[in-house]
Amino acid sequence: MSKNAQRLSQLVSTFGPGSMVDLPTRSIVVGGLEQWDMRPGTFQPVSEPRLAQRLQILLQERGQLDQGQRLNLRTPPVSDGNGEPKGVAAPIFPNWFVCDQVEANAEGTPTRRRRLVQWRDLDPKGRRRFTPEGGKRTEVTPIRFVCACDKGHLQDIEWRWVVHGATPCQEPMWIEERGTSADPADTSVVCGCGKRLSLQEAFQPRRLGFCKGERPWLLDRDPNGCGDGTTPLKLLTRTATNTYFPQVLTVISLPSEEDVLTKLVDEIIGEMNKVTSIERVGLFREFNEAAAASLTRYSDAEIFDCLTRLREGATADAARSPKVAEFDLFASGRPEIGTNHPGAKLYAQTLARSDWDDGSWASLKFVQALVAVHRLREVSCLYGFTRFEAAPTAADGDIEDISLAVHGAPIARATDWLPACEQFGEGLFVHVDSDAIATWLNGAGDRHRQLVGGYNRWKIRFGAAAPKYPTTPYVLLHSLAHALMTEIALDCGYPASSLKERIYALGPNGAERCGILLYTASAGAQGTLGGLVGTAPRFAQILRAALERIIICSNDPICCDHDPEHQTGDRATHGAACHGCLLIAETSCESRNLFLDRSLLVPTMSTPRFACFEC
């Protein structure tokens, strides 16, 4: 089992608590935080006070953290070098399996029939084989279908009840398939007594029964929901993409530049959560000799005073969007931001305009400044997840409002810590002139109304608690970021999927603070190779090439004729945007490829008058 491993960053995103993972011999659900082996020496604290403080408020509002407790961030467990690696417990799920051996159909019809068995029926030695009555032992595979509800609860389908209803029956059951299309109508669950159920029928409302509030990743039933037998279960394909949508809050670390003591305390603040008085500083020194060695020159009172100031600053930042503080720092115009040393959280330089603009292109006045971010630290923290529908991302980078048709599920019953990972990299910050955005917006009123109309159709599925429209300047900057990422990948050599974005369209109408941060970051590395920062002198040429590339899409005129007001689903959030022009890997996009429109950037065949740039 030692080979059943995941990367730390995967446990904070794709495969966090509550997600289902296929292993060579079975399928499991990743256990909640109570089942993570977090003994001393198996994890590292992650210091990011702004992020911890914001999530602390969230957990206290949800009742998962007592009002007096402090939240801390930790990496997932890793090997401490002594014996077996410490890890994450993962219960078997689902408990129903399908035999690999195809049996002959007694009726003689051309179907593939395979035995349906439970975990308790398998060989107890290997737990991956089943021996039928008087038959040959066969390998088994976890069944593809489970059921869940909109609150994230998850359980096995009660196949005997679904097929027979209240009538008891202990005859063997089989999965029977016809054809090769995988159509639900061609797949049935058949019992030895003669009763059968088509999977097409299983999609019918209430056909699978009602949710019992089961949370197999927490080994319990939810005491606050779905116990009244009124929430219907939905069929869920175990390996489908809608089984798990992680809720992750990400921030870019900002530098502490007050004095030496502040920097020292800031580096270990994640280990000082229980230091709530001057007396406890002495205890911290006594039991954490490595950290105390760097603080030898300072008294307990000085250390506690510095710690208090850092906490108060984090509390103040927690009251506003994380992106506001990031933008204000990047757009400050300071020649150097942060300090240039290997342990720095952030180091950037605001470039002189002559370094990247030769004055030959008038449209480049839209860009107010360009910042080369030589080193940055990104911290991401998992705090929940949803099923069936991803919680929409807030344009200001804050925690999503998840009181939607789906609800965020917890990753622990109660905890004073959350899993986080830090990644290091580089990037470019493009400071966009807010006055130019406001002027352009005045002339794009018709397109603005079309985009808002599409958004109004899209938000219907969320009911009264629909997310806010991210503003038309956000759509403009988001579209520009995607165009730039595609072109930069061609220029600098990084694969497009390794680039990420943060869009800053802040303020009531999205035009108060405007900018784009394009960056790349990876876990377990002390930065990247400088290829992204190296594109800064060529930024004007890259921007122009990116815009020229999307004037014509390979899917035109269908793409440019796309009217968001007459679309359904996620397509209602798009203007002229498709996989041929603006859509990129969803892991690179902060909004899951929603809210894009190239007609806001450049003239297209159908909408030439709303373009912000002239190529």
Side-chain angles (χ1 to χ4, degrees):
M1 296 296 291
S2 60
K3 294 182 180 180
N4 296 326
Q6 299 287 353
R7 294 174 60 187
L8 299 187
S9 57
Q10 288 179 313
L11 278 172
V12 183
S13 56
T14 316
F15 300 114
S19 64
M20 290 174 280
V21 182
D22 268 327
L23 299 181
T25 61
R26 67 206 73 184
S27 172
I28 52 93
V29 59
V30 178
L33 300 186
E34 291 88 353
Q35 301 175 62
W36 292 30
D37 191 349
M38 302 297 286
R39 69 186 67 177
T42 63
F43 67 90
Q44 293 293 327
V46 177
S47 173
E48 187 51 59
R50 288 194 306 139
L51 183 59
Q53 187 67 31
R54 185 67 187 91
L55 290 171
Q56 178 177 306
I57 295 171
L58 174 71
L59 292 189
Q60 288 173 345
E61 290 174 350
R62 289 183 175 182
Q64 295 176 256
L65 184 69
D66 294 338
Q67 289 298 324
Q69 272 188 311
R70 285 195 169 275
L71 180 72
N72 61 88
L73 310 181
R74 303 175 182 176
T75 64
V78 295
S79 172
D80 60 359
N82 299 318
E84 284 294 312
K86 309 302 187 292
V88 176
I92 300 296
F93 186 86
N95 282 291
W96 285 91
F97 293 76
V98 179
C99 293
D100 293 349
Q101 179 181 337
V102 179
E103 300 182 17
N105 191 332
E107 300 174 0
T109 55
T111 60
R112 297 181 301 280
R113 171 179 283 200
R114 294 179 295 161
R115 183 74 174 269
L116 190 62
V117 296
Q118 289 185 272
W119 172 254
R120 64 172 180 264
D121 300 326
L122 304 184
D123 183 350
K125 295 182 179 179
R127 286 296 191 185
R128 56 177 297 180
R129 295 181 176 86
F130 173 72
T131 306
E133 302 81 355
K136 185 179 178 181
R137 187 166 60 177
T138 176
E139 303 281 339
V140 296
T141 303
I143 195 167
R144 287 189 296 137
F145 307 103
V146 296
C147 56
C149 79
D150 292 330
K151 293 183 179 180
H153 301 144
L154 183 70
Q155 66 185 66
D156 272 299
I157 297 174
E158 297 181 10
W159 291 108
R160 292 198 179 277
W161 179 87
V162 171
V163 174
H164 300 92
T167 305
C169 179
Q170 297 301 319
E171 292 292 321
M173 293 194 298
W174 291 264
I175 291 287
E176 197 171 86
E177 299 169 306
R178 296 181 299 170
T180 58
S181 66
D183 190 321
D186 292 337
T187 303
S188 301
V189 178
V190 181
C191 182
C193 70
K195 290 191 175 183
R196 66 172 52 229
L197 170 77
S198 167
L199 283 185
Q200 191 173 41
E201 298 176 49
F203 281 100
Q204 296 175 0
R206 304 174 186 270
R207 187 65 180 83
L208 299 179
F210 296 93
C211 181
K212 299 176 182 177
E214 292 189 10
R215 304 186 294 188
W217 67 99
L218 299 181
L219 303 177
D220 72 353
R221 287 189 176 181
D222 189 350
N224 301 316
C226 293
D228 54 1
T230 60
T231 305
L233 290 165
K234 297 180 181 179
L235 189 69
L236 191 63
T237 303
R238 179 171 51 81
T239 54
T241 57
N242 66 342
T243 60
Y244 191 81
F245 295 100
Q247 292 178 283
V248 178
L249 186 61
T250 299
V251 300
I252 303 298
S253 296
L254 305 182
S256 297
E257 300 179 299
E258 296 181 26
D259 52 37
V260 175
L261 177 59
T262 300
K263 293 178 183 179
L264 292 173
V265 174
D266 186 53
E267 289 175 358
I268 59 173
I269 193 171
E271 304 175 46
M272 302 180 74
N273 280 311
K274 295 183 179 179
V275 178
T276 56
S277 65
I278 295 177
E279 292 73 19
R280 284 183 173 252
V281 174
L283 293 174
F284 174 77
R285 288 180 188 253
E286 181 179 349
F287 292 104
N288 195 328
E289 296 180 2
S294 63
L295 302 172
T296 305
R297 296 168 46 198
Y298 305 97
S299 68
D300 292 354
E302 289 176 317
I303 294 171
F304 185 71
D305 180 62
C306 180
L307 178 63
T308 302
R309 282 188 285 107
L310 286 173
R311 286 173 175 171
E312 289 174 350
T315 302
D317 281 341
R320 59 178 183 165
S321 160
K323 283 188 176 180
V324 173
E326 295 168 16
F327 177 89
D328 288 346
L329 184 66
F330 285 127
S332 64
R334 291 155 54 184
E336 289 198 351
I337 301 169
T339 53
N340 186 16
H341 66 84
K345 294 180 179 179
L346 180 71
Y347 175 63
Q349 291 178 307
T350 303
L351 303 178
R353 193 169 190 93
S354 58
D355 291 341
W356 53 273
D357 180 11
D358 60 6
S360 62
W361 185 29
S363 289
L364 206 58
K365 293 180 180 178
F366 179 80
V367 179
Q368 185 170 331
L370 185 67
V371 179
V373 185
H374 296 277
R375 180 178 176 83
L376 62 79
R377 174 179 179 254
E378 175 198 62
V379 181
S380 300
C381 182
L382 177 70
Y383 62 91
F385 66 90
T386 64
R387 302 197 196 277
F388 295 108
E389 186 87 49
T393 303
D396 62 359
D398 209 348
I399 295 171
E400 312 99 314
D401 179 5
I402 55 173
S403 301
L404 309 169
V406 291
H407 302 266
I411 58 176
R413 289 187 289 272
T415 182
D416 63 352
W417 67 276
L418 287 175
C421 69
E422 56 183 0
Q423 303 188 89
F424 297 91
E426 56 168 321
L428 286 177
F429 175 74
V430 183
H431 183 192
V432 177
D433 189 338
S434 58
D435 292 335
I437 288 279
T439 302
W440 163 81
L441 189 60
N442 292 332
D446 291 342
R447 192 59 171 175
H448 167 76
R449 284 188 287 274
Q450 291 176 344
L451 292 170
V452 172
Y455 157 79
N456 288 333
R457 289 180 62 88
W458 173 75
K459 75 173 185 177
I460 291 173
R461 60 181 172 181
F462 298 121
K468 297 177 182 178
Y469 177 60
T471 73
T472 301
Y474 179 91
V475 181
L476 170 73
L477 295 175
H478 191 206
S479 304
L480 178 60
H482 280 218
L484 279 171
M485 289 165 75
T486 302
E487 192 65 29
I488 285 174
L490 296 174
D491 183 273
C492 75
Y494 282 126
S497 58
S498 71
L499 301 179
K500 302 179 185 180
E501 65 180 2
R502 281 180 82 78
I503 311 300
Y504 303 88
L506 309 173
N509 63 352
E512 183 179 309
R513 292 177 171 92
C514 299
I516 299 167
L517 175 64
L518 305 179
Y519 66 101
T520 181
S522 58
Q526 295 303 307
T528 47
L529 300 178
L532 188 52
V533 169
T535 63
R538 304 188 299 279
F539 177 75
Q541 294 83 354
I542 290 172
L543 175 59
R544 193 162 194 168
L547 296 174
E548 289 174 348
R549 188 180 297 275
I550 61 173
I551 292 175
I552 299 293
C553 173
S554 59
N555 290 321
D556 278 342
I558 296 173
C559 177
C560 64
D561 285 341
H562 181 83
D563 186 353
E565 289 187 288
H566 297 90
Q567 300 294 323
T568 58
D570 289 347
R571 288 294 288 157
T573 66
H574 292 164
C578 70
H579 285 285
C581 51
L582 285 185
L583 271 61
I584 60 174
E586 285 198 3
T587 53
S588 298
C589 177
E590 71 172 21
S591 296
R592 298 188 302 110
N593 275 330
L594 303 180
F595 303 110
L596 295 165
D597 185 8
R598 63 187 169 94
S599 68
L600 301 180
L601 296 173
V602 294
T604 63
M605 295 178 183
S606 301
T607 53
R609 64 186 187 280
F610 306 124
C612 187
F613 292 92
E614 294 181 4
C615 296

